[in-house]
Each structure stands twice: as C-alpha cells, then as structure tokens.
Amino acid sequence: MSLYPVASDAVASFAGDGEVLGGLMVAFRLEDVASPLRSGRAVRDGDRSALVIGGTERIRTGEVTVFCKVVAVAPARVRRDGRLQAQGSPAEHATLGPAEEWLDRQAGPGVIDQVAERAVLREQYVKGKRKRLLSRAFMIRVIVLMTLVPDADVREAVIALAGDLALVPWARVWVPASARALGDWRNALGPEPLEELRDIVVGASWAEHEERDWRAVIIGGTRPLKTGSLDGTLIRVPDTPANRRTFGSVGTGDDSSPFPQLRALPLTDASTRGLLGMPHGPAGTDKAAAEQGLLDTAMRDYPHLFAMDRVWLMDRNYPGAARIARLTARTHVLIRLKSDIPLKRTSPILADGSYLAELPGDGVTVAVRVIEYYAEVEGQKVPEMFCLVTDLMDIGEYPAPELAALYRWRWDGSETALREAKASLDGAGPGTGPMLRSGTPHLVRQELAAWAAATEMTRGVARDAALTAVPARKGRRAGQPIRPRDISHARARRAIIAAIRTGRTGYEALTREIAKHRVIVDRNRHRARKSKSPSSFGHATAKDTRTRTAPAIITMANQPA
C-alpha cells in the first residue's frame, strides 16, 4: 500500500464546543503517566487499557515529556479492575480525512453520514451480528478509499481507513471484518448510495468552479468563456458472465475480447481537469453510437453544464448534425471533424482565415464556422489537416488562430485528466490498462461511482493546495500563481491516503505539504500517434516515436498563425 509522509501542525487547537481539531499534539510529563489498574501493575497489551495522567504539574524545561497525537475523542468505559477503555469502535470515528474535509467545506458538514442515513440496506445480505459489526457510513468510506489504493483489497482498505484507531483500547474488541463479510456489506449497500455521493461531489466541484475563476486558458474578449472537455473512455471489468452480458465489449462481433468493458464519458474542466459529470453505460459495439448516447444522457442529467458561458471541446467522434444543433442551442462547441464529413461553404475566406459553412445531416442543417489549419513541429508537418467547426461566429471576439490554439486543451482536459485518474485503478490481463475489480454489474456501478467521487475529492484537495502554494522563485513560472494542474495528482493522492491512515491531520498543514510537489506543464511535447499498449520488443517497421519539445506552428489559409 502506498504511503507518503505528512507534516502535522505543532499548534494545539480546539473547536468552540471542545472538539479536538486535526493535528493536535498533547504533551505531559513522563513521570505523570500511571496505570489505571487497581493492582497498580503496568498495563500490558492483553489488558486493553489506556494509560492515564496521574498529575498536572507544570512542565519545566529539561523534563522528560511525552508528546502524543490525538487519535480519537470518545466516551470512556472504566472497568471494575480500573481498565480505561473507549466506547464505540473505529467504524464510528474513521473518516476520509482531508478528502472528506474538502467535501464538507464545499457541500456542508456530514455529507457521507447523511448519505448513509438515507441508504436502504438489502437485508438478505447483512443482519444480526454482521449488521452490528460495521456501519453504512463506514462501508461507504471503505469503498471510496478502496478506489484510491489499487494494490489493496477491500479488507486492506478497512485496515487503512481504521489506521491508528485500531490501536485504541475499545471496550468491544474490534478486528477488521473478513473479506466475505465486506462483500456482503457491499451487496447490501448496492450502487445507489455511492452514486448519490458521486453526484454530490461533482456538484460541489461545479459550484466551486462557478465561485472561483480557475481558468488557465481564456477565450473571448468582452465575453470570455470557460472551457470544458469531454471524451469517452473504456474501462475493463472482470470477465464474469453477468458483466459480459451487461457491458459487452468492443472490437469483435462475437464478443470474444479478453475482458468486458464499460464506457464512460467524463465531462471535465479543461483548466483544472476537475470532474463535473460522468455518465456511463455498456461498451457498445460501435464507439460513435455508444458515446453519442452518453452525450444525450449528459445533456439530460447535467443540464447546468451546458450553458452559454462555456465552450466544449470535442474530438472527431462525430456527434451528428441534429445533436450539434441541440448542443448549440444551449452551449458553445469546438469540434474536430473527420475528413469524410461533408461541409457546404457559404462564405468567402474571412479576415481571420476561417469561413462559414452549412453542416447537413439527420434532417437538419447547422450553420457553423470552419477553422482549417496545419500544424508543424521542428520542421515536421502533421500529415493531416485539422478541421474544427464551431458556433462562435464573431471573428473579432473569437479569432480563428485563438480557437485553433484553444483546441489543444482537449488533450489536457480529457486525455491527461483520464491518465491521472486511472492511475488509481489496477491493471490486469494480457495488456496494460485500468480495470475495476467488481464481479457483478451493480457492484461495478458502485465501484465506478466511488472512483469518480474519490478522484474529484483528491483534485479538490489539490486545488486548495494550489491556493496556499508559494510561487516558484526561479524558472519560467517564477513569481506566478500556482495553478491546480501544477500540483502533482499522484502526490496528492498518496498524501491523502497517508493522512487517512494516521488519523487526525491538520488540513492546512497537509495542503501546504502537497503544494510543494509540482509537475512541469506546457512543455510543448509532441509525439507521433502510437499504440497505447505497445509490446516490449522492437519492430523493424516501427514508426518514429521521438518526443519533440518545441512550439507547434499553425498554418491557416497559407499564413502562419
């Protein structure tokens, strides 16, 4: 399981009602430590008792002092023999640490507990002693944490979530539940509570983006737009008969691929890579048809995302003229077209190198503006022309060269964001690639929702880290504010996991630590297209896959832009 050192505040702090806040350290003299047992003997592991403080004299310089981190605040249970224990169990105290703190800051306190209260358990899976062993809120947190640690099974996620709480001498002996019991709890919860949590998380992310201007790229003069990116992705699931019947696979007509797959359509903010929505469904035998169906679902389920203050970047998976017409009635688009999509030009070349055209199909005709250009890197020309269509007609407000430069953010907003997010999913099978671990469709839905929520909560903590980050003293971004995408997503994820394991950690201290770990972006790196899962041996006919680091020169209407 990945670990990462986390700094903690050295300052003791209390909430107004006496609740101990994260990062609190308690100091007391070593000679004041005493055993609560009536016999006076020392406390052993088998006694299951905490030590107590036998005196309250002032600590003086040079005295041997014990410094302890607060793990839990719970009612005491004093046994007849004097043993001091805590009432309750780790299931009542464990949280997702900084990830949950970000969520509670954005969506109100106690979000996960409220989702758990509304959850309806399937009683055939848990009842009696097994029902008392865990709690709905604890299991929701376990499932979320499980998606952040690809090398841990669900029982190891329980141990990580309990963390130092397992060391507390609880009045009722606590041991991690068995894998079978945890599987029954997952079935009892079903996907609905995690899907509700996912919707709350992405809704909180959207509200944060509306409140704070995170834009790293601005398009438009007097009417600047936010930039979103959407692109489909396949995620493999275990090859069980139920998963194959429900999700199917792509690439073969006889469904003989090694693993079934589900298809998701993440809608992200291109500047921060923040997840704003993610409809999903079966893989579908035809990629275009499957993704177009998910786009319809996105417009239905996330209407607030398709507004006139945002432009959506889309790849060449042509959504059709009728769907483009529905999109442009609500929002703005910048779509790359394949070479076989017909366009009827309706204007001469405009001053910025673009032209107006009609895009027919599906019984409708859509008026669009067309931006055509070539790209060249270090003298090597891209062998195909880029053709973008948009409903942004004002060439003064949205010049063609700026729209051409904007389109490259689709890679950052979709491809890079997905690569970071999928790093927490394990790989399996003959080729590399992310894979969920659930063997039934309703648990696949549960795990997928938990993964989306966990990823976006991690990004939320990273955004808070960017706010506290100190600008670099040297380099090409010396003195400039730190942007969310400058923060390492992998480091943020590992720091959150470590904070969960160690219990109470100061949020500000954690974000300051995360803010120190940054990645280099905007390096103008270019590579030729290649297989996403290449073999380890070389090929005699291998294409040039050298990485080039130079700005791309865009040529539009025979003029470099």
Side-chain angles (χ1 to χ4, degrees):
M1 185 171 296
S2 301
L3 297 179
Y4 188 76
V6 180
S8 62
D9 284 328
V11 180
S13 55
F14 287 85
D17 57 0
E19 180 186 356
V20 181
L21 299 179
L24 176 68
M25 300 295 292
V26 176
F28 49 87
R29 299 189 308 168
L30 178 61
E31 64 182 59
D32 292 336
V33 180
S35 169
L37 300 182
R38 292 184 178 180
S39 62
R41 60 186 173 85
V43 174
R44 299 170 304 187
D45 291 343
D47 292 325
R48 292 185 47 76
S49 175
L51 297 172
V52 296
I53 308 302
T56 57
E57 293 186 22
R58 184 174 182 178
I59 299 175
R60 301 186 183 280
T61 301
E63 289 187 304
V64 179
T65 306
V66 179
F67 294 87
C68 295
K69 183 188 71 174
V70 174
V71 175
V73 178
R77 173 72 180 273
V78 182
R79 300 289 186 178
R80 291 183 178 181
D81 59 359
R83 284 181 297 163
L84 180 61
Q85 299 174 336
Q87 296 183 25
S89 74
E92 300 171 13
H93 295 268
T95 73
L96 291 173
E100 193 166 341
E101 188 166 344
W102 172 85
L103 178 60
D104 288 349
R105 288 184 178 196
Q106 299 298 324
V111 170
I112 292 181
D113 291 326
Q114 294 169 20
V115 170
E117 289 177 3
R118 293 189 289 268
V120 178
L121 292 180
R122 293 164 174 82
E123 293 291 341
Q124 69 267 33
Y125 292 105
V126 292
K127 52 188 173 182
K129 182 179 179 180
R130 182 169 289 181
K131 189 172 182 180
R132 294 192 300 269
L133 181 64
L134 297 170
S135 68
R136 290 171 292 185
F138 185 77
M139 274 307 302
I140 289 173
R141 294 181 173 101
V142 167
I143 296 166
V144 172
L145 179 58
M146 180 184 70
T147 65
L148 290 177
V149 282
D151 51 350
D153 60 24
V154 64
R155 192 170 187 270
E156 291 172 323
V158 169
I159 296 172
L161 183 60
D164 289 347
L165 289 167
L167 304 177
V168 175
W170 301 101
R172 181 188 295 271
V173 178
W174 183 85
V175 293
S178 66
R180 179 177 178 180
L182 294 168
D184 287 341
W185 262 95
R186 287 192 62 193
N187 279 299
L189 277 173
E192 294 82 7
L194 275 301
E195 290 175 339
E196 181 184 355
L197 176 62
R198 175 205 60 202
D199 292 341
I200 294 173
V201 170
V202 298
S205 177
W206 172 80
E208 180 187 345
H209 282 78
E210 290 293 295
E211 178 182 353
R212 181 175 285 116
D213 190 355
W214 287 116
R215 284 176 298 181
V217 56
I218 298 177
I219 183 69
T222 60
R223 299 187 300 276
L225 302 174
K226 300 173 183 177
T227 304
S229 180
L230 61 89
D231 193 13
T233 183
L234 288 171
I235 301 176
R236 300 188 299 174
V237 297
D239 189 12
T240 63
N243 280 347
R244 191 167 285 278
R245 284 194 306 269
T246 300
F247 300 110
S249 60
V250 298
T252 56
D254 58 357
D255 196 28
S256 60
S257 61
F259 292 95
Q261 303 149 316
L262 65 84
R263 189 180 299 276
L265 185 70
L267 294 90
T268 58
D269 182 89
S271 296
T272 67
R273 304 170 189 162
L275 183 66
L276 306 178
M278 193 178 74
H280 64 89
T285 55
D286 181 76
K287 176 182 178 181
E291 291 192 3
Q292 289 164 13
L294 292 180
L295 181 54
D296 292 337
T297 302
M299 286 190 284
R300 182 195 68 205
D301 293 348
Y302 305 100
H304 56 283
L305 298 181
F306 298 93
M308 287 300 179
D309 64 345
R310 188 178 298 270
V311 56
W312 287 97
L313 309 180
M314 302 170 62
D315 202 358
R316 289 180 291 183
N317 191 17
Y318 181 55
R323 194 169 283 103
I324 292 176
R326 293 200 300 273
L327 278 168
T328 55
R330 302 164 55 177
T331 189
H332 301 292
V333 298
L334 184 63
I335 306 173
R336 186 179 177 188
L337 289 189
K338 293 182 178 180
S339 58
D340 58 351
I341 304 299
L343 286 168
K344 181 181 179 181
R345 199 167 84 177
T346 59
S347 79
I349 302 297
L350 304 177
D352 67 342
S354 63
Y355 62 88
L356 304 183
E358 291 180 346
L359 181 63
D362 306 319
V364 300
T365 299
V366 182
V368 295
R369 181 163 150 239
V370 184
I371 300 100
E372 295 177 342
Y373 61 94
Y374 289 92
E376 178 181 326
V377 180
E378 291 185 333
Q380 181 181 10
K381 291 185 178 180
V382 177
E384 55 185 335
M385 181 181 69
F386 290 80
C387 177
L388 309 179
V389 296
T390 182
D391 64 309
L392 298 169
M393 300 296 189
D394 190 337
I395 66 172
E397 190 78 8
Y398 310 104
E402 292 187 10
L403 290 175
L406 175 68
Y407 184 73
R408 76 171 184 85
W409 283 83
R410 190 204 68 80
W411 187 270
D412 201 80
S414 288
E415 304 288 350
T416 303
L418 277 170
R419 187 176 69 247
E420 289 180 340
K422 287 183 175 181
S424 64
L425 299 180
D426 205 358
T432 59
M435 184 172 181
L436 301 180
R437 63 188 81 186
S438 302
T440 60
H442 75 287
L443 290 186
V444 167
R445 283 175 49 196
Q446 180 191 79
E447 185 180 355
L448 184 70
W451 171 63
T455 300
E456 188 50 32
M457 285 192 282
T458 301
R459 292 199 189 279
V461 175
R463 289 194 293 270
D464 282 351
L467 290 174
T468 65
V470 178
R473 295 182 179 179
K474 57 183 179 179
R476 56 195 180 92
R477 287 195 55 81
Q480 299 183 44
I482 304 302
R483 304 161 298 187
R485 63 197 186 96
D486 294 326
I487 304 297
S488 169
H489 180 78
R491 298 280 187 141
R493 178 172 63 89
R494 292 200 294 268
I496 289 172
I497 294 170
I500 293 171
R501 287 178 59 88
T502 57
R504 294 172 178 268
T505 302
Y507 188 79
E508 288 72 18
L510 180 88
T511 52
R512 286 198 301 270
E513 183 69 24
I514 292 174
K516 298 177 184 177
H517 302 283
R518 302 168 193 175
V519 294
I520 301 174
V521 297
D522 302 332
R523 289 181 289 175
N524 291 311
R525 300 175 75 244
H526 310 272
R527 292 193 75 181
R529 293 183 64 89
K530 62 184 183 65
S531 172
K532 293 184 179 180
S533 296
S535 59
S536 57
F537 54 88
H539 294 269
T541 59
K543 295 182 179 179
D544 179 15
T545 57
R546 289 177 297 168
T547 300
R548 305 175 188 275
T549 55
I553 299 175
I554 295 174
T555 301
M556 188 177 303
N558 295 323
Q559 297 293 327

Short mmCIF file of all heavy atoms in Angstrom, two decimals, residues 461-498:
data_model
loop_
_atom_site.label_atom_id
_atom_site.label_comp_id
_atom_site.label_asym_id
_atom_site.label_seq_id
_atom_site.Cartn_x
_atom_site.Cartn_y
_atom_site.Cartn_z
N VAL A 461 -8.79 18.71 -3.02
CA VAL A 461 -7.73 18.99 -2.05
C VAL A 461 -6.53 19.61 -2.76
O VAL A 461 -5.90 20.55 -2.25
CB VAL A 461 -7.31 17.69 -1.32
CG1 VAL A 461 -6.12 17.95 -0.40
CG2 VAL A 461 -8.49 17.15 -0.51
N ALA A 462 -6.21 19.12 -3.96
CA ALA A 462 -5.09 19.68 -4.72
C ALA A 462 -5.37 21.13 -5.11
O ALA A 462 -4.46 21.96 -5.12
CB ALA A 462 -4.82 18.83 -5.96
N ARG A 463 -6.63 21.45 -5.43
CA ARG A 463 -6.95 22.85 -5.75
C ARG A 463 -6.74 23.74 -4.53
O ARG A 463 -6.25 24.87 -4.65
CB ARG A 463 -8.38 22.95 -6.27
CG ARG A 463 -8.58 22.37 -7.66
CD ARG A 463 -9.90 22.79 -8.27
NE ARG A 463 -11.05 22.24 -7.57
CZ ARG A 463 -11.62 21.08 -7.86
NH1 ARG A 463 -11.11 20.30 -8.82
NH2 ARG A 463 -12.69 20.65 -7.20
N ASP A 464 -7.14 23.25 -3.36
CA ASP A 464 -6.89 24.02 -2.14
C ASP A 464 -5.39 24.17 -1.90
O ASP A 464 -4.94 25.21 -1.40
CB ASP A 464 -7.55 23.35 -0.94
CG ASP A 464 -9.05 23.61 -0.88
OD1 ASP A 464 -9.54 24.45 -1.66
OD2 ASP A 464 -9.75 22.96 -0.07
N ALA A 465 -4.62 23.14 -2.23
CA ALA A 465 -3.17 23.23 -2.09
C ALA A 465 -2.60 24.30 -3.02
O ALA A 465 -1.67 25.03 -2.65
CB ALA A 465 -2.52 21.87 -2.38
N ALA A 466 -3.18 24.41 -4.22
CA ALA A 466 -2.71 25.44 -5.16
C ALA A 466 -2.94 26.84 -4.61
O ALA A 466 -2.14 27.75 -4.85
CB ALA A 466 -3.41 25.26 -6.51
N LEU A 467 -4.03 27.02 -3.85
CA LEU A 467 -4.31 28.34 -3.28
C LEU A 467 -3.28 28.74 -2.23
O LEU A 467 -3.01 29.93 -2.04
CB LEU A 467 -5.71 28.33 -2.65
CG LEU A 467 -6.91 28.25 -3.61
CD1 LEU A 467 -8.20 28.12 -2.82
CD2 LEU A 467 -6.96 29.48 -4.51
N THR A 468 -2.73 27.75 -1.54
CA THR A 468 -1.76 28.05 -0.49
C THR A 468 -0.32 27.98 -0.97
O THR A 468 0.59 28.30 -0.20
CB THR A 468 -1.93 27.06 0.69
OG1 THR A 468 -1.60 25.72 0.25
CG2 THR A 468 -3.37 27.06 1.20
N ALA A 469 -0.10 27.56 -2.21
CA ALA A 469 1.25 27.33 -2.71
C ALA A 469 2.01 28.65 -2.89
O ALA A 469 1.44 29.65 -3.31
CB ALA A 469 1.21 26.57 -4.03
N VAL A 470 3.28 28.60 -2.58
CA VAL A 470 4.16 29.76 -2.76
C VAL A 470 4.72 29.71 -4.18
O VAL A 470 5.24 28.67 -4.61
CB VAL A 470 5.30 29.72 -1.73
CG1 VAL A 470 6.25 30.90 -1.95
CG2 VAL A 470 4.74 29.74 -0.31
N PRO A 471 4.62 30.80 -4.93
CA PRO A 471 5.15 30.79 -6.31
C PRO A 471 6.64 30.43 -6.34
O PRO A 471 7.38 30.67 -5.39
CB PRO A 471 4.91 32.22 -6.78
CG PRO A 471 3.79 32.72 -5.93
CD PRO A 471 3.97 32.07 -4.59
N ALA A 472 7.05 29.83 -7.44
CA ALA A 472 8.44 29.45 -7.61
C ALA A 472 9.34 30.69 -7.63
O ALA A 472 8.95 31.75 -8.14
CB ALA A 472 8.61 28.66 -8.90
N ARG A 473 10.54 30.54 -7.09
CA ARG A 473 11.47 31.66 -7.07
C ARG A 473 12.26 31.80 -8.35
O ARG A 473 12.78 32.87 -8.66
CB ARG A 473 12.42 31.49 -5.89
CG ARG A 473 11.76 31.56 -4.52
CD ARG A 473 12.79 31.42 -3.41
NE ARG A 473 12.17 31.51 -2.10
CZ ARG A 473 12.84 31.39 -0.95
NH1 ARG A 473 14.16 31.20 -0.98
NH2 ARG A 473 12.21 31.48 0.20
N LYS A 474 12.37 30.70 -9.09
CA LYS A 474 13.10 30.74 -10.35
C LYS A 474 12.43 29.82 -11.34
O LYS A 474 11.52 29.06 -11.00
CB LYS A 474 14.56 30.34 -10.13
CG LYS A 474 14.74 28.96 -9.51
CD LYS A 474 16.21 28.67 -9.25
CE LYS A 474 16.40 27.29 -8.62
NZ LYS A 474 17.83 26.98 -8.38
N GLY A 475 12.89 29.88 -12.58
CA GLY A 475 12.26 29.09 -13.62
C GLY A 475 11.31 29.92 -14.46
O GLY A 475 11.09 31.11 -14.21
N ARG A 476 10.68 29.26 -15.41
CA ARG A 476 9.83 30.00 -16.35
C ARG A 476 8.54 30.48 -15.73
O ARG A 476 7.87 31.35 -16.30
CB ARG A 476 9.53 29.15 -17.58
CG ARG A 476 8.89 27.82 -17.31
CD ARG A 476 8.98 26.92 -18.54
NE ARG A 476 8.38 25.64 -18.30
CZ ARG A 476 7.11 25.35 -18.57
NH1 ARG A 476 6.33 26.28 -19.09
NH2 ARG A 476 6.63 24.16 -18.32
N ARG A 477 8.16 29.96 -14.56
CA ARG A 477 6.96 30.46 -13.88
C ARG A 477 7.31 31.14 -12.57
O ARG A 477 6.51 31.16 -11.63
CB ARG A 477 5.98 29.30 -13.64
CG ARG A 477 5.29 28.82 -14.91
CD ARG A 477 4.09 27.96 -14.60
NE ARG A 477 3.14 28.61 -13.72
CZ ARG A 477 2.23 29.50 -14.09
NH1 ARG A 477 2.16 29.88 -15.37
NH2 ARG A 477 1.40 30.03 -13.21
N ALA A 478 8.48 31.70 -12.49
CA ALA A 478 8.91 32.38 -11.28
C ALA A 478 7.97 33.54 -10.96
O ALA A 478 7.67 34.38 -11.82
CB ALA A 478 10.34 32.89 -11.44
N GLY A 479 7.50 33.58 -9.72
CA GLY A 479 6.65 34.67 -9.26
C GLY A 479 5.20 34.59 -9.69
O GLY A 479 4.39 35.41 -9.27
N GLN A 480 4.83 33.58 -10.50
CA GLN A 480 3.46 33.46 -10.99
C GLN A 480 2.63 32.57 -10.06
O GLN A 480 3.17 31.65 -9.44
CB GLN A 480 3.44 32.88 -12.41
CG GLN A 480 4.19 33.74 -13.43
CD GLN A 480 4.08 33.17 -14.83
OE1 GLN A 480 3.01 32.75 -15.25
NE2 GLN A 480 5.19 33.13 -15.54
N PRO A 481 1.33 32.83 -9.96
CA PRO A 481 0.48 32.00 -9.09
C PRO A 481 0.50 30.54 -9.52
O PRO A 481 0.66 30.21 -10.71
CB PRO A 481 -0.93 32.61 -9.28
CG PRO A 481 -0.67 34.00 -9.78
CD PRO A 481 0.58 33.93 -10.60
N ILE A 482 0.34 29.65 -8.55
CA ILE A 482 0.32 28.21 -8.82
C ILE A 482 -1.09 27.80 -9.24
O ILE A 482 -2.07 28.15 -8.58
CB ILE A 482 0.76 27.41 -7.58
CG1 ILE A 482 2.14 27.88 -7.13
CG2 ILE A 482 0.76 25.92 -7.88
CD1 ILE A 482 3.21 27.76 -8.19
N ARG A 483 -1.19 27.09 -10.34
CA ARG A 483 -2.48 26.62 -10.85
C ARG A 483 -2.74 25.20 -10.39
O ARG A 483 -1.79 24.46 -10.10
CB ARG A 483 -2.48 26.69 -12.38
CG ARG A 483 -2.16 28.07 -12.93
CD ARG A 483 -1.72 28.02 -14.37
NE ARG A 483 -0.50 27.24 -14.54
CZ ARG A 483 0.18 27.13 -15.68
NH1 ARG A 483 -0.27 27.76 -16.76
NH2 ARG A 483 1.27 26.40 -15.76
N PRO A 484 -4.01 24.78 -10.31
CA PRO A 484 -4.30 23.41 -9.85
C PRO A 484 -3.57 22.34 -10.64
O PRO A 484 -3.11 21.34 -10.06
CB PRO A 484 -5.82 23.31 -10.01
CG PRO A 484 -6.30 24.71 -9.84
CD PRO A 484 -5.24 25.57 -10.48
N ARG A 485 -3.43 22.49 -11.94
CA ARG A 485 -2.79 21.45 -12.72
C ARG A 485 -1.27 21.44 -12.54
O ARG A 485 -0.59 20.53 -13.04
CB ARG A 485 -3.15 21.58 -14.20
CG ARG A 485 -2.68 22.84 -14.86
CD ARG A 485 -3.41 23.09 -16.18
NE ARG A 485 -2.85 24.23 -16.89
CZ ARG A 485 -1.95 24.14 -17.86
NH1 ARG A 485 -1.53 22.95 -18.23
NH2 ARG A 485 -1.49 25.20 -18.46
N ASP A 486 -0.72 22.45 -11.82
CA ASP A 486 0.69 22.42 -11.48
C ASP A 486 0.98 21.48 -10.32
O ASP A 486 2.13 21.11 -10.08
CB ASP A 486 1.19 23.83 -11.10
CG ASP A 486 1.15 24.79 -12.27
OD1 ASP A 486 1.39 24.35 -13.41
OD2 ASP A 486 0.86 25.98 -12.05
N ILE A 487 -0.06 21.11 -9.56
CA ILE A 487 0.11 20.25 -8.39
C ILE A 487 0.07 18.79 -8.84
O ILE A 487 -0.78 18.38 -9.62
CB ILE A 487 -1.00 20.51 -7.35
CG1 ILE A 487 -1.02 21.99 -6.95
CG2 ILE A 487 -0.81 19.62 -6.14
CD1 ILE A 487 0.23 22.47 -6.26
N SER A 488 0.99 17.99 -8.33
CA SER A 488 1.06 16.58 -8.70
C SER A 488 -0.16 15.83 -8.16
O SER A 488 -0.38 15.77 -6.94
CB SER A 488 2.34 15.95 -8.14
OG SER A 488 2.31 14.54 -8.27
N HIS A 489 -0.95 15.24 -9.05
CA HIS A 489 -2.12 14.47 -8.64
C HIS A 489 -1.69 13.21 -7.89
O HIS A 489 -2.32 12.83 -6.89
CB HIS A 489 -2.95 14.10 -9.87
CG HIS A 489 -4.18 13.32 -9.55
ND1 HIS A 489 -5.32 13.88 -9.04
CD2 HIS A 489 -4.45 11.98 -9.66
CE1 HIS A 489 -6.23 12.95 -8.84
NE2 HIS A 489 -5.73 11.79 -9.22
N ALA A 490 -0.63 12.57 -8.33
CA ALA A 490 -0.17 11.35 -7.67
C ALA A 490 0.29 11.64 -6.25
O ALA A 490 0.00 10.89 -5.31
CB ALA A 490 0.97 10.72 -8.48
N ARG A 491 1.03 12.73 -6.06
CA ARG A 491 1.49 13.08 -4.71
C ARG A 491 0.31 13.43 -3.82
O ARG A 491 0.29 13.09 -2.63
CB ARG A 491 2.45 14.25 -4.80
CG ARG A 491 3.72 13.98 -5.59
CD ARG A 491 4.75 13.24 -4.78
NE ARG A 491 6.02 13.13 -5.48
CZ ARG A 491 7.21 13.23 -4.91
NH1 ARG A 491 7.29 13.44 -3.62
NH2 ARG A 491 8.30 13.10 -5.61
N ALA A 492 -0.66 14.15 -4.37
CA ALA A 492 -1.84 14.50 -3.57
C ALA A 492 -2.58 13.24 -3.13
O ALA A 492 -3.01 13.14 -1.97
CB ALA A 492 -2.76 15.41 -4.39
N ARG A 493 -2.72 12.27 -4.03
CA ARG A 493 -3.42 11.03 -3.69
C ARG A 493 -2.67 10.28 -2.59
O ARG A 493 -3.28 9.81 -1.62
CB ARG A 493 -3.57 10.16 -4.94
CG ARG A 493 -4.24 8.82 -4.68
CD ARG A 493 -4.54 8.10 -5.98
NE ARG A 493 -3.37 7.77 -6.74
CZ ARG A 493 -2.66 6.66 -6.62
NH1 ARG A 493 -3.02 5.75 -5.72
NH2 ARG A 493 -1.60 6.43 -7.36
N ARG A 494 -1.37 10.17 -2.71
CA ARG A 494 -0.61 9.44 -1.70
C ARG A 494 -0.63 10.16 -0.35
O ARG A 494 -0.69 9.52 0.70
CB ARG A 494 0.83 9.23 -2.17
CG ARG A 494 0.95 8.27 -3.35
CD ARG A 494 2.35 7.71 -3.46
NE ARG A 494 3.33 8.74 -3.79
CZ ARG A 494 3.70 9.05 -5.03
NH1 ARG A 494 3.14 8.44 -6.06
NH2 ARG A 494 4.61 9.97 -5.25
N ALA A 495 -0.58 11.48 -0.36
CA ALA A 495 -0.62 12.24 0.88
C ALA A 495 -1.97 12.05 1.58
O ALA A 495 -2.04 11.94 2.80
CB ALA A 495 -0.36 13.71 0.61
N ILE A 496 -3.05 12.02 0.81
CA ILE A 496 -4.38 11.82 1.39
C ILE A 496 -4.48 10.43 2.01
O ILE A 496 -5.02 10.26 3.11
CB ILE A 496 -5.46 12.05 0.32
CG1 ILE A 496 -5.55 13.54 -0.02
CG2 ILE A 496 -6.82 11.53 0.79
CD1 ILE A 496 -6.45 13.85 -1.20
N ILE A 497 -3.97 9.41 1.32
CA ILE A 497 -4.01 8.05 1.86
C ILE A 497 -3.24 7.98 3.18
O ILE A 497 -3.70 7.40 4.16
CB ILE A 497 -3.42 7.05 0.84
CG1 ILE A 497 -4.31 6.97 -0.40
CG2 ILE A 497 -3.25 5.67 1.46
CD1 ILE A 497 -3.68 6.22 -1.55
N ALA A 498 -2.05 8.60 3.21
CA ALA A 498 -1.26 8.59 4.43
C ALA A 498 -1.98 9.32 5.56
O ALA A 498 -1.95 8.89 6.71
CB ALA A 498 0.11 9.23 4.17
#
